[in-house]
Amino acid sequence: MPSPDKYAGFDAYIGLDAMNAYMKGLASRLPVDGRAKLRLSRSQAAKINDLVRRDADSKSFSDNIKWIAVMARQMARERPVSLASCFKTPRISIIAGELVSHSDCDITPESLEGALSSFDACQGLNMDEIWLFPRAVSIELIKAFAQTASRVIDDRREVREAVRWVEGGRDMSKLKGHSDAFYEKALKILAEKGSAGELESLEAWLDDRRGAGKAVQSAQRRRSRDAIILSNAVSSLRRISQTDWKDRYNKLCRAEKNLMRDDIYANGDDNSKAAVRRQVARLSRMTGLGEWTVARNAVEMAGEAILSDVEKRERDGEAEHPEAPAVAPSHTCTYWLCDPDGQDALIRRLNGRTVPTLENPG
């Protein structure tokens, strides 16, 4: 599981090939233990709005914060979707969080596809999970931006505190409880002013704790890292919002690829396809089998029905009969997935029972 401060580490980045291998390992460690809702809560969206207020003084990245705040409000209004979970967290949220935290928030359509494909190769993902993965990644990017931006704003407040400390008498009793950004700025100002005595006192105070050099290096590394994360998060969110996920979904989703073998399904409208996919998901949960297995069997049964009817018409001498129906209900996977009689036969097949050859319904 990702750590609570997963976006703060300095050595988390791994390349695309290593990421794909990491996702395969992650798949072997995540047990599905229930269902949980994918959502960006209103309280999380409110935190983004609070950043707009907190950044009002410095206006360091207010335009980006405002844009992300609008996106967060929109996502918070979207209907939560119940998905397979691990540790009471949607499985794809964990995958998305790992992808974001190990890529410095630099997400491309290729990295989305690679992460999903690698995970799915070891632990099958459901249709809804694959379709909603860009949303899950966007939620994690918003969280990463919010956490990092909050830290940047805090550090800039610390820098102002350091200026006031130097100008206000340099009271050593008020040094505790500050961040490295405070100490770095205080050391810099004292050095620039040529205040050798106070500089030595501050360095000695820091040496008793962690060392002046370490404080400066830590502040500089974090500032550089935070700038990269903020820039990447914004670019990635824009990139994802402009990506047509439908083609990649069709390429990634094994259940969808099976369904698309059925011409009637493939040529259907979005609403009819969604209805079929819901039935695949329902039968998958009912039988405990993967969605791609349910879809494959439904398509195979449609093909078998077509072959059976062709053979029957040939036996009856009706192969060239102009009034013979081109497509019977049982010739499409929709019948086996959505019609009560078709469903019963499909479930018997999925449960390993013998399924009798059916004549054309109706």
Side-chain angles (χ1 to χ4, degrees):
M1 288 288 289
S3 66
D5 197 25
K6 59 189 173 186
Y7 306 113
F10 294 118
D11 301 311
Y13 181 85
I14 57 178
L16 187 59
D17 290 341
M19 175 66 74
N20 293 340
Y22 178 81
M23 286 296 168
K24 291 180 180 179
L26 181 66
S28 68
R29 303 194 304 271
L30 288 184
V32 174
D33 54 16
R35 298 186 71 79
K37 291 185 177 180
L38 175 68
R39 70 172 79 188
L40 180 71
S41 69
R42 294 185 182 276
S43 62
Q44 290 167 331
K47 290 179 181 179
I48 306 295
N49 287 327
D50 185 56
L51 289 177
V52 177
R53 178 189 59 78
R54 292 173 57 197
D55 189 49
D57 293 336
S58 64
K59 297 182 180 178
S60 51
F61 34 70
S62 57
D63 288 343
N64 286 333
I65 289 180
K66 289 176 182 177
W67 177 74
I68 290 179
V70 171
M71 176 179 285
R73 286 195 296 271
Q74 292 173 344
M75 296 190 76
R77 287 195 292 266
E78 291 179 343
R79 181 180 64 85
V81 182
S82 179
L83 299 171
S85 68
C86 306
F87 312 113
K88 300 182 180 180
T89 301
R91 178 166 53 174
I92 58 169
S93 294
I94 297 175
I95 302 170
E98 292 295 285
L99 177 62
V100 167
S101 66
H102 288 297
S103 64
D104 285 349
C105 294
D106 186 14
I107 307 297
T108 65
E110 290 72 26
S111 65
L112 289 175
E113 185 176 325
L116 273 186
S117 178
S118 298
F119 190 99
D120 185 61
C122 298
Q123 184 180 142
L125 293 166
N126 296 327
M127 291 182 291
D128 280 351
E129 291 179 296
I130 296 174
W131 180 251
L132 292 170
F133 190 57
R135 187 199 296 188
V137 173
S138 294
I139 289 173
E140 294 302 316
L141 285 169
I142 288 173
K143 292 178 180 178
F145 182 93
Q147 181 176 324
T148 306
S150 178
R151 186 167 58 240
V152 169
I153 292 172
D154 288 342
D155 281 350
R156 288 174 179 170
R157 186 188 65 244
E158 286 284 275
V159 167
R160 294 192 295 272
E161 286 290 327
V163 173
R164 285 193 286 268
W165 179 80
V166 172
E167 295 176 348
R170 307 165 193 178
D171 186 350
M172 300 296 289
S173 67
K174 295 182 179 180
L175 283 176
K176 290 183 179 180
H178 290 288
S179 71
D180 289 333
F182 175 97
Y183 303 126
E184 179 202 24
K185 184 64 174 179
L187 289 166
K188 181 179 180 181
I189 296 174
L190 291 174
E192 290 173 347
K193 287 180 174 292
S195 305
E198 289 87 347
L199 180 60
E200 290 178 2
S201 296
L202 178 55
E203 289 175 340
W205 186 89
L206 287 169
D207 285 342
D208 289 340
R209 288 153 180 84
R210 57 177 308 183
K214 289 184 178 180
V216 171
Q217 291 173 7
S218 174
Q220 292 173 344
R221 286 200 310 268
R222 191 161 88 169
R223 186 163 56 248
S224 174
R225 170 95 172 177
D226 287 348
I228 291 171
I229 289 176
L230 291 174
S231 176
N232 285 347
V234 173
S235 297
S236 296
L237 282 166
R238 294 188 187 278
R239 199 178 295 126
I240 291 173
S241 68
Q242 296 165 1
T243 298
D244 183 356
W245 187 244
K246 186 175 181 179
D247 288 342
R248 294 181 185 272
Y249 167 81
N250 290 339
K251 176 182 176 182
L252 286 166
C253 183
R254 288 181 286 173
E256 186 70 17
K257 283 190 285 189
N258 272 292
L259 292 173
M260 291 295 286
R261 292 162 49 205
D262 186 306
D263 290 339
I264 302 300
Y265 174 85
N267 294 321
D269 58 33
D270 289 343
N271 289 334
S272 64
K273 287 182 178 179
V276 172
R277 288 194 291 266
R278 285 194 294 271
Q279 289 301 317
V280 170
R282 188 179 71 83
L283 291 174
S284 173
R285 292 193 296 270
M286 179 187 300
T287 61
L289 298 172
E291 291 177 344
W292 73 275
T293 300
V294 174
R296 176 174 57 81
N297 277 272
V299 172
E300 287 178 354
M301 291 179 76
E304 292 162 7
I306 293 173
L307 181 60
S308 175
D309 283 358
V310 169
E311 292 174 347
K312 179 178 183 299
R313 288 168 58 196
E314 288 177 346
R315 289 195 305 269
D316 296 344
E318 299 176 354
E320 304 298 328
H321 197 293
E323 296 180 359
V327 179
S330 62
H331 290 182
T332 175
C333 66
T334 302
Y335 168 76
W336 304 101
L337 290 165
C338 301
D339 183 90
D341 291 334
Q343 275 189 22
D344 288 344
L346 175 58
I347 291 171
R348 290 197 299 274
R349 177 178 177 130
L350 293 172
N351 287 335
R353 302 174 185 173
T354 302
V355 180
T357 300
L358 299 183
E359 300 292 340
N360 286 344

